[in-house]
Amino acid sequence: APNAFATGRSPRKAAVAVTRGLASTMNDAELDGVIAHELAHIKYRDTLTSTIAATVAGVLAFVAQWFFFLGIGRREGGNPLVTILVIIGAAVGAALIKAMISRSREFAADAEGARIAGSPHGLASALARLDSMSRRVPLRQPNPAQNNLFIVEPLAGGARSLTNLFATHPPTAQRIEALRRLG
């Protein structure tokens, strides 16, 4: 599968991974753009930022769940329906915050990657190719927990789908348009 990703909490402890599928399907300009995008994630410490956001989201969901299990709100004459709605709202809110941070980091990494590569055209072309390929050959067993490991959103449907609300990557068309405005 064509893919690339960056990992590591700081530039000194980071790595960029490129699959054989990506290396064999991209031309040099596209590969340069993708690697520059991943280097931008490292420069901005996006893995650390995402880890902190995921931890905060997890803590919010965990606390909300414990409020439900401990019955807080029911003992003092509170409405159980309100308690359930608060729990659901906290979990959805945490997921939205995590997704919004991740999506904003993608735009920043695209712009910085274009600067590192010297042109936005290679990355824009690579994103278009990857998006096209992901639509032709969908994942066999998609796992939403692994979305952030892809360079394009692997599970999103149409541009207005509810799935996109929780997507870790902005729609590819928006990313390509932003890159075209740079160059």
Side-chain angles (χ1 to χ4, degrees), residues 12 17 37-38 57 66 70 79 91 102 122 133 142 151 155 159 165 176:
R12 289 183 180 254
H37 168 90
E38 298 305 332
W66 274 103
L70 295 176
N79 186 336
S102 181
M133 292 171 77
I151 195 163
L155 300 179
L165 188 60
I176 292 169

Side-chain angles (χ1 to χ4, degrees), residues 28-61:
D28 288 345
E30 291 168 336
L31 198 52
D32 288 349
V34 169
I35 291 172
H37 168 90
E38 298 305 332
L39 289 172
H41 279 305
I42 291 169
K43 178 180 179 181
Y44 291 137
R45 300 175 188 254
D46 287 341
T47 301
L48 178 62
T49 302
S50 295
T51 301
I52 291 168
T55 301
V56 169
V59 167
L60 287 174

Side-chain angles (χ1 to χ4, degrees), residues 114-156:
R115 191 192 67 70
I116 292 169
S119 167
H121 304 299
L123 180 56
S125 176
L127 289 173
R129 187 184 301 229
L130 288 166
D131 188 59
S132 173
M133 292 171 77
S134 72
R135 292 178 193 283
R136 280 194 317 245
V137 184
L139 294 174
R140 286 187 186 160
Q141 295 177 329
N143 181 347
Q146 298 173 343
N147 281 12
N148 61 334
L149 298 177
F150 292 86
I151 195 163
V152 296
E153 183 64 38
L155 300 179

Side-chain angles (χ1 to χ4, degrees), residues 100-124:
M100 287 186 313
I101 289 171
S102 181
R103 286 192 302 259
S104 71
R105 301 311 313 144
E106 287 303 315
F107 281 119
D110 287 348
E112 181 63 14
R115 191 192 67 70
I116 292 169
S119 167
H121 304 299
L123 180 56

